[in-house]
Amino acid sequence: MLTEKYEKLTSILEEMGNVVVAFSGGVDSTFLLKVAIDTLGSENVLAVTADSETYPTSELLEAKKLAVHIGAQHRIIATSELAIPGYTENNKNRCYFCKHSLFNQIIPIMKENGFQNVVYGVIADDMNEFRPGMRAAKEKGVRGPLQEANLFKEEIRELSREMGLPTWNKPSFACLSSRIAYGEKITIEKLTRIDLSEAFLKSLGLRQVRVRTHQDIARIEVNPEDMAFVLENHQPISDKLQEFGYKYITLDLIGYQSGSMNKALSS
């Protein structure tokens, strides 16, 4: 089954002939970039990474290293989600505005370099989640070969491991804005506070972590097996996050959940 899905993916890419990959350095886009290069050759693949306020510096540095490791042509573009009309209001269509703007900037790069296709790392799992960015991709003619091949996250991790990609067990990541409760205005100060807080928690050894922000409340999400560690270290953690600007520090007893802020949309 997995072999058949991989063959379908390569067939989709072969049919395209050349691709510009919207590359974040995450599990999915890294796998897509690697398979695209293996299938089409590095001369027919260009990775483009957006450097913005919602993208941590650590992730940008890792994306650069991964592109070198894979042997990809790589271009960094400067973007600003906070300058996109409608984005900072942080309504349920926030991701639509972001992806619409991103693809608007990547498509001219595609044309300038003689390419015909833009692809991104949407996967089969995303079809069951609230993903307004997918609408922007459809409107712009941007394709998701991983989703078209019906590849799920765990399958991508397994194939990445077999290919020797260092991202095979990388924790899931989403833009920093996804940590801010819907309806709460997105600001550079809040994004910086989140970035600093998550970087600190990761420096303690936590791998999968989110600092969800509800005004001046930090709601920490970690895997259930890591909760005891957080509680044991509650004092230095609360001290540091208060230093970053939070007034109240909480631990979510449900644990890490991808897209947990979307629960508010169905209430």
Side-chain angles (χ1 to χ4, degrees):
M1 177 67 76
L2 195 52
T3 299
E4 292 175 0
K5 289 187 178 185
Y6 182 83
E7 290 176 350
K8 183 175 181 180
L9 174 61
T10 59
S11 177
I12 291 168
L13 291 167
E14 285 172 351
E15 177 265 323
M16 289 184 179
N18 57 62
V19 294
V20 175
V21 180
F23 176 60
S24 68
V27 176
D28 306 321
S29 66
T30 299
F31 174 72
L32 177 58
L33 180 61
K34 170 62 174 171
V35 177
I37 288 176
D38 288 351
T39 303
L40 304 174
S42 59
E43 69 277 8
N44 293 310
V45 180
L46 173 64
V48 176
T49 301
D51 180 16
S52 73
E53 311 96 337
T54 69
Y55 189 56
T57 301
S58 59
E59 290 292 319
L60 177 61
L61 293 174
E62 186 168 354
K64 290 179 179 179
K65 292 178 181 177
L66 286 166
V68 171
H69 174 75
I70 295 172
Q73 301 181 71
H74 191 202
R75 181 165 172 179
I76 311 294
I77 59 173
T79 63
S80 176
E81 280 90 348
L82 300 189
I84 301 170
Y87 184 87
T88 59
E89 285 80 354
N90 196 19
N91 64 31
K92 66 179 183 179
N93 290 314
R94 180 195 66 231
C95 291
Y96 169 82
F97 298 128
C98 176
K99 285 291 190 291
H100 189 276
S101 176
L102 175 64
F103 297 144
N104 270 346
Q105 295 181 73
I106 293 180
I107 288 172
I109 295 173
M110 173 196 76
K111 294 177 180 177
E112 290 166 8
N113 288 272
F115 287 75
Q116 283 80 48
N117 306 279
V118 175
V119 297
Y120 75 128
V122 63
I123 61 176
D125 306 66
D126 298 329
M127 303 306 292
N128 297 318
E129 297 185 10
F130 180 66
R131 301 280 182 173
M134 293 172 62
R135 177 161 59 93
K138 185 176 182 180
E139 290 175 359
K140 293 296 179 180
V142 174
R143 293 176 63 179
L146 301 178
Q147 182 271 319
E148 291 178 27
N150 199 36
L151 280 161
F152 289 84
K153 176 72 77 175
E154 289 309 310
E155 295 173 325
I156 292 167
R157 289 189 184 279
E158 174 59 23
L159 289 168
S160 296
R161 185 187 64 79
E162 293 176 2
M163 296 169 72
L165 289 173
T167 49
W168 75 270
N169 65 344
K170 181 178 180 178
S172 298
F173 180 81
C175 83
L176 295 175
S177 294
S178 67
R179 287 30 164 196
I180 301 174
Y182 285 112
E184 183 178 336
K185 189 176 179 63
I186 299 171
T187 66
I188 189 65
E189 292 78 16
K190 291 173 185 175
L191 295 172
T192 300
R193 184 193 307 169
I194 295 165
D195 192 13
L196 290 171
S197 299
E198 292 190 356
F200 171 71
L201 290 168
K202 289 176 182 178
S203 75
L204 299 179
L206 295 165
R207 297 188 72 246
Q208 188 68 77
V209 60
R210 294 285 188 272
V211 177
R212 308 293 188 186
T213 295
H214 305 260
Q215 300 295 344
D216 53 9
I217 300 172
R219 176 168 59 86
I220 300 172
E221 291 183 7
V222 295
N223 291 328
E225 60 268 25
D226 292 327
M227 289 182 183
F229 176 85
V230 174
L231 292 174
E232 289 167 5
N233 293 275
H234 69 93
Q235 195 62 60
I237 289 174
S238 59
D239 287 347
K240 183 60 72 172
L241 268 62
Q242 285 180 330
E243 179 183 316
F244 293 146
Y246 290 106
K247 289 184 180 179
Y248 306 100
I249 317 301
T250 68
L251 175 63
D252 192 317
L253 297 183
I254 294 177
Y256 165 73
Q257 290 185 307
S258 175
S260 67
M261 286 298 198
N262 291 337
K263 290 181 179 180
L265 300 178
S266 58
S267 60

